[in-house]
Amino acid sequence: DSAPAPAAFVDRPPEGGIVLACGHFGNAEIAGMVLSTCKPLVGIARPLTNPWVDRYVNKERFGGDFESIPKHGADMHRFLDILKQGKALALMIDQHAGTRGVLLPFLGKLASTHSAIALLALITKTPVYFGYCRRTAPVRFECGLRGPISCERSGSKQEDIAVGDVAPVSGGLADGDFLEGIICQGSH
């Protein structure tokens, strides 16, 4: 199953590169399979400990045009190249960034988040989408997508980064925090 936004995205994907913000919620592999059939997708992932299993899983995991970049081999210049090639770059937004991160409200607490998505959007003017895929029943999934979310420069780098990172979490909408709403609805 999929919500109308993912269906429209799959039927008519946007031109050029996009940033896809997602969280460790639901099934990113299913979402990646769906999206990579309509637009080349590059995701960041920690390699599995066993290199033979890692190669097998990454080769067999996706049926579309998907590439996985090792988490520790990813850098901003590589991200820019991916976007210039017109691909979708999937980044997790719920990674704890420690003292280097920007503190943002999430589920009633301040959480330290990375600024990469906001910086990419501000520097490249690349549209940002927020996506999720959650299990609704055995072998049934609901995919959701919000966007495009645009980030405008205010003149204050810290404010721009904070607003840029809040937008994917809230879905860029005034109707509340999108990701928090999805999480609170639960998963089976």
Side-chain angles (χ1 to χ4, degrees):
D1 291 346
S2 62
F9 186 95
V10 170
D11 290 342
R12 196 164 185 202
E15 298 286 326
I18 66 164
V19 175
L20 177 62
C22 21
H24 285 93
F25 176 80
N27 194 316
E29 287 81 6
I30 298 290
M33 249 177 16
V34 171
L35 291 177
S36 70
T37 61
C38 65
K39 187 164 191 69
L41 177 67
V42 178
I44 311 301
R46 183 183 62 80
L48 298 173
T49 306
N50 184 321
W52 291 283
V53 173
D54 184 65
R55 277 194 299 274
Y56 176 77
V57 167
N58 283 305
K59 180 181 172 193
E60 300 296 324
R61 186 184 303 186
F62 296 98
D65 189 355
F66 179 83
E67 176 187 354
S68 180
I69 296 176
K71 179 180 173 183
H72 299 292
D75 66 38
M76 194 65 84
H77 293 292
R78 187 144 184 210
F79 293 168
L80 295 173
D81 290 341
I82 290 163
L83 295 173
K84 283 180 189 172
Q85 295 168 19
K87 297 178 180 180
L89 175 63
L91 297 170
M92 296 293 186
I93 61 173
D94 61 352
Q95 297 288 300
H96 179 64
T99 57
R100 297 177 312 168
V102 178
L103 291 176
L104 300 172
F106 185 67
L107 294 171
K109 301 207 183 268
L110 287 178
S112 176
T113 186
H114 292 281
S115 58
I117 292 172
L119 288 172
L120 282 169
L122 290 166
I123 292 168
T124 65
K125 298 184 178 10
T126 300
V128 176
Y129 290 81
F130 176 79
Y132 72 93
C133 181
R134 68 175 173 185
R135 193 180 102 166
T136 57
V139 198
R140 302 287 291 175
F141 298 91
E142 172 192 271
C143 292
L145 191 68
R146 291 282 177 108
I149 303 160
S150 59
C151 299
E152 300 296 325
R153 290 180 185 261
S154 71
S156 164
K157 182 179 176 184
Q158 279 304 105
E159 185 177 319
D160 290 345
I161 291 170
V163 170
D165 273 350
V166 170
V169 172
S170 66
L173 302 173
D175 66 355
D177 289 339
F178 182 61
L179 178 57
E180 288 184 14
I182 297 303
I183 291 170
C184 292
Q185 287 176 15
S187 175
H188 299 275

